[in-house]
Amino acid sequence: MASLNVGNLGEYLREQRRAAQLSLRQLADATGVSNPYLSQIERGLRKPSADVLQQVAKALRISAETLYVRAGILDEREREELETRAVILADPSINERQKNVLLQIYDSFRRENGFVPGPDADGKAEADAGTGGDAGPRNGDDAGADTTEDQDPHS
């Protein structure tokens, strides 16, 4: 039942707010969400929108995806996939082409294991591939086994 899920969300938010040593009023000021509305969320009386959850997550410095799962907006598997993608995209030690290749390999492995990438995943990978996100040489590994084009690393 949705109210149980919302109740769990409220309890979790209260715990996170207290761990951050914020009063309800301070959280309201930080998020731009009214104090009474936040109180109702914490007590399990209201189901907040994704936008409100994002503001709360930002103010508490926690994952918005975790809040989406607790609120029943996002499936646990979707959250894990989004977090994996976010980590890859945020890594400053690899360039954009390398990030695109990693995401394409990740999608390939997920498809091979029976998971279909979300619509954002496929759209992002295809859009990036079309903007010069060339996969580059495969160095003989199986990651590009389904690729129809051989690429010479020395050309």
Side-chain angles (χ1 to χ4, degrees):
M1 182 174 197
S3 62
L4 292 175
N5 209 1
V6 174
N8 290 337
L9 170 67
E11 292 170 17
Y12 180 75
L13 285 176
R14 182 178 291 122
E15 290 171 11
Q16 295 301 309
R17 178 178 56 78
R18 288 179 176 164
Q21 299 180 336
L22 290 174
S23 71
L24 206 51
R25 180 164 286 137
Q26 289 171 318
L27 183 59
D29 289 342
T31 61
V33 177
S34 76
N35 186 0
Y37 188 68
L38 288 175
S39 175
Q40 290 174 347
I41 294 170
E42 283 192 0
R43 290 181 287 142
L45 302 175
R46 296 279 184 176
K47 183 175 181 179
S49 69
D51 289 338
V52 168
L53 290 174
Q54 186 173 22
Q55 291 301 324
V56 170
K58 185 176 178 182
L60 293 174
R61 296 187 175 146
I62 58 176
S63 163
E65 287 81 9
T66 299
L67 295 184
Y68 296 159
V69 169
R70 288 187 177 264
I73 296 172
L74 188 65
D75 180 77
E76 181 69 21
R77 285 185 183 164
E78 292 176 79
R79 180 188 67 84
E80 291 169 356
E81 180 182 353
L82 287 173
E83 287 180 350
T84 300
R85 290 178 180 288
V87 168
I88 291 170
L89 292 171
D91 188 337
S93 68
I94 58 177
N95 66 37
E96 291 304 310
R97 183 188 61 79
Q98 293 166 331
K99 291 175 187 180
N100 291 333
V101 170
L102 274 175
L103 290 173
Q104 289 169 0
I105 293 168
Y106 176 66
D107 288 342
S108 173
F109 286 150
R110 286 181 54 84
R111 277 191 296 272
E112 183 178 309
N113 293 331
F115 294 98
V116 179
D120 290 341
D122 263 352
K124 172 79 175 136
E126 290 171 12
D128 289 341
T131 58
D134 181 25
R138 299 291 184 184
N139 295 329
D141 65 13
D142 289 337
D146 61 335
T147 308
T148 57
E149 229 178 76
D150 289 332
Q151 297 174 351
D152 181 1
H154 303 293
S155 60

